[in-house]
Amino acid sequence: MYNPFKKNKKEDVVLNKFKKQLESKGLFIDSIDEEGLIHINAEESDLKVSLENVKRNYERDSDDSHITDLVDVIISHLSKKEDWKNINDKVIIQFFPNDFEFDNIVHEKVTNEFSKVFALNLNNGFSFITTDDLSDWKINFEELKKQADVNLEILLDKAKIEFEDIDNHKLGMINIEEIALKSSCLFSLKIKNLVQNTIGFPFYAVIPVRDFCYIFAEEDFEFFSQRLGPVVLDEYNNSGYPITTEILRFSNTGIEAIGKY
């Protein structure tokens, strides 16, 4: 069997920690392919796992929880075959660049740069929803979207916007306990209610990665669009789970990209 842990290779700290935690749950790495995807055979399924985003976040802050959360997601994924009525309150959305290999993962294009991906929020991690899941749950895509909207509304009720005053211009940041859902909050149908008394509506946002976003008023577009580029690019290039370097406009007509860094 292929052994990715030979002594003559430079130690991969994240891979070794991941392997150890996985084995503590009774699961084992079967192989690692040429693209670096880890294959785990379990319950007659070949799970393909990428450590790329976990490694970026671990390198950024040396926090083992990034590895633990991924292992928890894998365990949850293997046991997610529940009835729709028992799982529907866990449906949420995440975002991935459009060059991501979606395969049969349920997704919807947002801009030319990224798409909305439907997932289950399990044990502080996310398990993608596939077309096979929809079939098992006996629901269609529209039902899934409606449930995601309901759950996003509940999520938004927990969110607050904190503002930093920069030369008399308000830069807003989403504050929510589930930090991996910061960018998801912006896509709630009720987002207008949260911002209209502070920065107003329409508004602009940048979401370079899933746990980071800035929002600002339409009247402050010129001021912030000229200043946020470096931090957006730094987050996008150096943190896990990158989404887009676009500047997004949220209005009654929907969401559109009006430029990118």
Side-chain angles (χ1 to χ4, degrees):
M1 179 183 294
Y2 171 72
N3 181 6
F5 310 103
K6 291 180 180 179
K7 297 295 184 181
N8 62 348
K9 289 192 174 184
K10 182 179 179 181
E11 182 182 12
D12 189 327
V13 174
V14 172
L15 177 60
N16 289 338
K17 285 177 178 285
F18 175 73
K19 175 178 178 288
K20 185 176 180 179
Q21 288 196 31
L22 202 64
E23 290 176 349
S24 73
K25 303 292 185 180
L27 295 174
F28 301 90
I29 293 176
D30 183 67
S31 64
I32 300 179
D33 63 28
E34 294 180 354
E35 296 180 350
L37 292 176
I38 297 171
H39 292 253
I40 302 169
N41 287 323
E43 298 184 7
E44 300 181 352
S45 298
D46 177 24
L47 300 182
K48 291 183 287 187
V49 178
S50 171
L51 288 182
E52 179 181 354
N53 289 308
V54 173
K55 287 180 178 179
R56 291 169 76 177
N57 283 342
Y58 184 86
E59 184 176 321
R60 181 187 64 190
D61 50 33
S62 300
D63 188 349
D64 281 2
S65 68
H66 298 301
I67 303 167
T68 302
D69 288 347
L70 178 59
V71 172
D72 287 343
V73 169
I74 292 170
I75 300 300
S76 298
H77 176 83
L78 294 172
S79 59
K80 77 175 183 180
K81 298 299 183 183
E82 299 185 43
D83 291 337
W84 171 242
K85 63 181 181 180
N86 296 325
I87 206 80
N88 60 11
D89 63 337
K90 297 177 175 61
V91 174
I92 202 66
I93 59 170
Q94 285 285 276
F95 310 98
F96 282 84
N98 287 335
D99 60 1
F100 181 75
E101 293 185 9
F102 295 105
D103 294 327
N104 67 337
I105 295 170
V106 182
H107 63 285
E108 184 177 50
K109 182 179 176 181
V110 179
T111 72
N112 288 333
E113 294 284 321
F114 75 102
S115 289
K116 179 190 305 182
V117 173
F118 293 82
L120 295 178
N121 186 7
L122 302 169
N123 295 328
N124 297 316
F126 302 96
S127 179
F128 296 145
I129 294 173
T130 66
T131 53
D132 291 336
D133 292 325
L134 298 188
S135 179
D136 290 340
W137 294 330
K138 296 179 174 58
I139 64 168
N140 58 34
F141 178 56
E142 290 304 315
E143 290 176 89
L144 182 69
K145 284 181 62 175
K146 288 179 181 178
Q147 186 61 52
D149 289 337
V150 170
N151 295 347
L152 281 175
E153 184 175 345
I154 295 171
L155 178 69
L156 197 66
D157 287 338
K158 305 175 187 177
K160 295 180 180 179
I161 301 179
E162 297 179 347
F163 290 98
E164 180 179 354
D165 187 278
I166 302 176
D167 296 336
N168 295 318
H169 300 272
K170 286 184 177 180
L171 183 63
M173 290 149 280
I174 298 289
N175 183 6
I176 191 168
E177 184 176 346
E178 297 170 278
I179 60 173
L181 293 173
K182 284 185 179 181
S183 57
S184 302
C185 289
L186 297 179
F187 288 74
S188 168
L189 297 177
K190 301 293 184 180
I191 187 63
K192 181 178 181 179
N193 298 340
L194 186 64
V195 302
Q196 61 185 356
N197 293 325
T198 51
I199 62 172
F201 192 87
F203 69 94
Y204 291 90
V206 290
I207 53 171
V209 296
R210 74 182 188 186
D211 60 356
F212 180 101
C213 64
Y214 280 147
I215 63 175
F216 51 93
E218 194 164 39
E219 64 190 32
D220 290 328
F221 173 78
E222 184 174 350
F223 180 85
F224 283 119
S225 64
Q226 294 178 2
R227 289 166 171 78
L228 296 180
V231 67
V232 168
L233 291 173
D234 182 64
E235 288 291 333
Y236 183 83
N237 292 321
N238 297 311
S239 296
Y241 306 100
I243 300 174
T244 182
T245 63
E246 294 170 310
I247 302 174
L248 304 173
R249 184 175 188 268
F250 290 73
S251 69
N252 286 326
T253 59
I255 300 160
E256 62 178 330
I258 52 80
K260 61 178 290 187
Y261 296 110

